[in-house]
Amino acid sequence: MQTTKFSSFAPHLLDELQGIADGIGIHPQQAAYFYIGYNMQRPQALGCSAFVNHAIYARNYDFGPDLYDHCLSFLSPKDSYGSIGYNLQLIGRHDGLNEKGLVMGLHFVSNNGFSKGLAAWTAIRIALDTCANN
């Protein structure tokens, strides 16, 4: 993964990955490999159901605990929007809500047409961190 391309979209996540790498004593590129999900193997398909209206976003998790981090994060960073969401691979998000009212979630992810690139859960985190709802 080229950090120069990634830094144009989410430089704050590079700082977060550096902190993780420093904290557990690994190289930052190893942290990126483990926690961004770039080009990693995927399960056959992931799917969850949800209910959404103008005031509610509710979902269930259709898969067992071996696929989830079991961690709800509340973030209030200085360089991006604050958010709440369930982690996937530590820094990614299955779903979440940011301080601007944007709600996003993954509900059916298939591997048809798979190609190298960011994992969907990393894209959700970047969108929650950097996008408003209007």
Side-chain angles (χ1 to χ4, degrees):
M1 185 181 86
Q2 295 181 353
T3 57
T4 55
K5 289 180 183 178
F6 193 81
S7 67
S8 65
F9 297 103
H12 62 285
L13 285 184
L14 291 176
D15 293 339
E16 190 171 326
L17 285 169
Q18 182 66 55
I20 291 167
D22 293 346
I24 60 176
I26 62 175
H27 192 274
Q29 284 192 308
Q30 285 179 297
Y33 174 78
F34 291 132
Y35 299 114
I36 288 180
Y38 180 80
N39 197 32
M40 69 171 281
Q41 287 189 323
R42 311 282 201 267
Q44 282 290 3
L46 299 173
C48 299
S49 54
F51 171 80
V52 180
N53 71 18
H54 70 282
I56 297 171
Y57 171 83
R59 72 168 304 150
N60 73 318
Y61 291 93
D62 291 343
F63 292 90
D66 54 330
L67 291 178
Y68 299 117
D69 288 0
H70 310 285
C71 185
L72 177 67
S73 291
F74 297 85
L75 301 177
S76 183
K78 63 179 179 179
D79 297 329
S80 62
Y81 295 134
S83 65
I84 179 174
Y86 281 98
N87 292 8
L88 187 56
Q89 276 194 275
L90 190 60
I91 68 165
R93 298 291 179 268
H94 281 283
D95 53 27
L97 163 70
N98 75 12
E99 68 182 78
K100 296 295 185 178
L102 177 66
V103 175
M104 297 183 74
L106 300 172
H107 296 282
F108 186 78
V109 180
S110 130
N111 289 322
N112 294 340
F114 173 79
S115 62
K116 287 184 180 183
L118 288 179
W121 50 86
T122 303
I124 292 288
R125 169 70 189 276
I126 291 170
L128 289 170
D129 288 353
T130 61
C131 298
N133 65 344
N134 51 16

